[in-house]
Amino acid sequence: ALHEGHVVSAQELTALLQPVFTQNSGNLILFLQDTLSIEDFTYLSESYGNKNPFQNEILQSSPSSLVLPAVDCKATRYLLSFLQESGDWKLTNTTNLDVSQLEVNTSKPNLLVVQLQPLASGLNEISTLETIAENDKIIGRLTMDLQERGIHFSVIYTAVRPSRISRRTDVVWELRRQLMATEEDDSSSYPPLNVTTGNDTCILFYARNFSLNANNSVFIDLINATFVTQNVDTASSECSNINTTLSLKYTKPVNGISSLEIRFLMTNKFYEGSARNWSTLDSVEIVQDEEKFAKFNVSVISAPAEYSFHCQLVGTSNLHPARLIPTNNEAKNWDVFISTLQIQGFNIENNQFSYASDCTGFFTPGIWMGLATSIVLLWILAYGIHMIMQLTTNSRFDDPKGPALSVPQTE
């Protein structure tokens, strides 16, 4: 069946995947990448000639295959939970890139979820090509290993978000801005991470990009583990009316790091100057392998205690509106980047974020530039009006039937 030009919905995806569960093969492998689009297969293959990153021929050698060029983001976002509910699987999550050591118990249906290397935003096309090529090798190593063992399996290769958002050219200009905003928001939306005490939610945390860089060599993307698959341990988080700590623990996020814990320490204090309570994110701590401890002080992350806090860019860079300032030598080895951060650790109602207090002031650089440009234009307009008002017209005119008009030089 052909599916070009059609966005597959969640219900349609469920129906299309039903044959996978009715086959004799009880093993299913889900290769999950952060971003991928059908155009990547043709664009990256044709643009770089012999550097084609997709070398595997598993799709061609498979007795049956299904290619879906476009799938609704909501369907792929909940694909893992849908697969878990579809059968009595033995679930195995792995981010270890040495998948050849993976053990498969053939006595029970297996669901293997392999987290592939993320395609970090901001990388050039060569880096993207190399990352996809490395992911392709991982897929090839695992599938070849299972084939050599005589294990039958089915494979799903997909991503959480599309890497390329198509733009409709047949939409009138008035609707184009709204269309782009809708597509962008839908392509990268997922529920926030919540920490509960009993039946009440005490911490909400959301980010569109959450990544670390250790020693300028090890890149760690935590979006999938934190928000999509939620393969993160928050049991060490603490909640109270005064102090709240969001603890995020990851097991083997990348090669070379066995454990990683990130703590967000927040306080709720009363300030006499404003006569109200304010919630403040005081510091961020990173603990690697339970030994290396890095601490960052935080600037400009505060909001009224009844509100949540939102900031477009948070990180260690000097260009970010909200900065993470290293306080010890170990912290200098880490680069942190968080985009579209929203966090709330107090007074959460109905399990939803409260009104957000943004880190950006009212007078942004764009507003200042607009005001400066407007002042210059108004000055030009005022000068032009003033010059026009200085123009004078003739009060007397020459009559061809009478004597010539004599105009003194003083006039």
Side-chain angles (χ1 to χ4, degrees):
L2 299 177
H3 299 274
E4 287 80 1
H6 174 66
V7 179
V8 178
S9 64
Q11 294 181 348
E12 293 172 331
L13 181 63
T14 302
L16 291 170
L17 293 181
Q18 283 301 325
V20 177
F21 309 127
T22 58
Q23 294 176 354
N24 295 328
S25 171
N27 302 305
L28 180 62
I29 309 174
L30 174 61
F31 291 104
L32 193 59
Q33 200 165 279
D34 60 339
T35 59
L36 184 70
S37 292
I38 193 69
E39 291 83 5
D40 293 333
F41 290 89
T42 55
Y43 178 78
L44 296 176
S45 300
E46 296 175 355
S47 299
Y48 297 95
N50 56 357
K51 293 184 179 180
N52 183 5
F54 303 101
Q55 299 291 338
N56 284 324
E57 297 182 356
I58 184 172
L59 189 65
Q60 289 77 11
S61 61
S62 173
S64 62
S65 61
L66 174 66
V67 178
L68 302 177
V71 181
D72 187 3
C73 293
K74 295 180 181 179
T76 57
R77 194 178 308 138
Y78 301 108
L79 178 61
L80 181 58
S81 59
F82 164 71
L83 294 176
Q84 291 176 314
E85 296 171 358
S86 301
D88 185 19
W89 305 97
K90 178 189 175 184
L91 178 63
T92 303
N93 279 287
T94 179
T95 56
N96 183 9
L97 302 184
D98 188 12
V99 292
S100 60
Q101 304 297 327
L102 198 62
E103 296 182 0
V104 179
N105 185 5
T106 57
S107 62
K108 187 177 181 180
N110 295 275
L111 174 57
L112 308 179
V113 180
V114 181
Q115 298 284 347
L116 299 175
Q117 296 184 73
L119 308 181
S121 59
L123 293 181
N124 55 35
E125 292 181 352
I126 298 296
S127 300
T128 302
L129 188 77
E130 294 174 352
T131 305
I132 292 183
E134 185 62 29
N135 290 340
D136 189 70
K137 293 178 182 178
I138 296 171
I139 297 174
R141 285 200 300 267
L142 179 57
T143 54
M144 288 297 296
D145 181 70
L146 295 179
Q147 287 177 351
E148 292 175 356
R149 293 195 230 175
I151 300 176
H152 298 282
F153 59 90
S154 299
V155 172
I156 298 177
Y157 180 29
T158 187
V160 180
R161 304 183 300 275
S163 60
R164 303 170 187 268
I165 301 176
S166 60
R167 302 301 187 195
R168 290 170 50 189
T169 57
D170 58 340
V171 181
V172 294
W173 177 259
E174 290 79 9
L175 298 180
R176 185 171 299 174
R177 182 176 180 180
Q178 180 181 0
L179 173 65
M180 290 182 179
T182 302
E183 290 177 345
E184 182 179 359
D185 292 341
D186 183 68
S187 66
S188 58
S189 61
Y190 34 75
L193 177 70
N194 63 77
V195 178
T196 59
T197 55
N199 296 327
D200 299 327
T201 300
C202 63
I203 303 176
L204 286 174
F205 175 65
Y206 175 85
R208 183 168 294 179
N209 191 322
F210 185 22
S211 58
L212 310 175
N213 197 327
N215 299 316
N216 295 323
S217 59
V218 181
F219 179 81
I220 309 172
D221 191 340
L222 300 176
I223 282 293
N224 289 335
T226 306
F227 302 103
V228 182
T229 62
Q230 295 194 355
N231 188 21
V232 58
D233 182 12
T234 60
S236 299
S237 300
E238 299 177 357
C239 298
S240 70
N241 294 329
I242 300 176
N243 297 300
T244 294
T245 301
L246 172 61
S247 174
L248 306 175
K249 290 184 177 180
Y250 306 90
T251 302
K252 293 183 179 180
V254 291
N255 275 349
I257 298 179
S258 59
S259 66
L260 185 68
E261 181 181 6
I262 303 175
R263 306 189 193 114
F264 296 84
L265 285 73
M266 296 170 281
T267 58
N268 181 12
K269 295 181 181 179
F270 179 81
Y271 292 86
E272 295 181 356
S274 59
R276 69 183 307 168
N277 283 53
W278 286 74
S279 63
T280 305
L281 178 60
D282 296 323
S283 60
V284 175
E285 299 174 351
I286 301 176
V287 182
Q288 176 187 343
D289 300 330
E290 299 181 356
E291 295 179 357
K292 299 180 180 180
F293 175 79
K295 184 176 181 179
F296 302 86
N297 285 337
V298 183
S299 66
V300 203
I301 296 188
S302 62
E306 300 82 9
Y307 295 171
S308 63
F309 175 82
H310 175 271
C311 195
Q312 191 65 25
L313 293 175
V314 177
T316 52
S317 173
N318 296 329
L319 302 177
H320 295 162
R323 285 196 59 209
L324 302 182
I325 305 171
T327 60
N328 58 5
N329 292 330
E330 184 62 32
K332 297 178 181 179
N333 298 327
W334 291 89
D335 290 327
V336 183
F337 176 74
I338 307 175
S339 68
T340 319
L341 167 72
Q342 188 168 3
I343 189 169
Q344 184 174 358
F346 306 96
N347 303 316
I348 298 176
E349 297 180 359
N350 301 323
N351 298 329
Q352 294 180 348
F353 280 114
S354 302
Y355 175 84
S357 176
D358 201 278
C359 64
T360 303
F362 178 77
F363 285 97
T364 62
I367 293 178
W368 281 116
M369 290 299 298
L371 289 175
T373 304
S374 300
I375 292 173
V376 172
L377 293 177
L378 287 175
W379 182 84
I380 295 174
L381 177 63
Y383 180 77
I385 293 176
H386 174 73
M387 296 301 294
I388 292 175
M389 292 176 63
Q390 299 300 316
L391 296 177
T392 59
T393 58
N394 295 331
S395 58
R396 291 180 293 175
F397 299 92
D398 192 10
D399 186 2
K401 296 181 179 180
L405 182 64
S406 176
V407 180
Q409 293 295 330
T410 56
E411 297 184 7

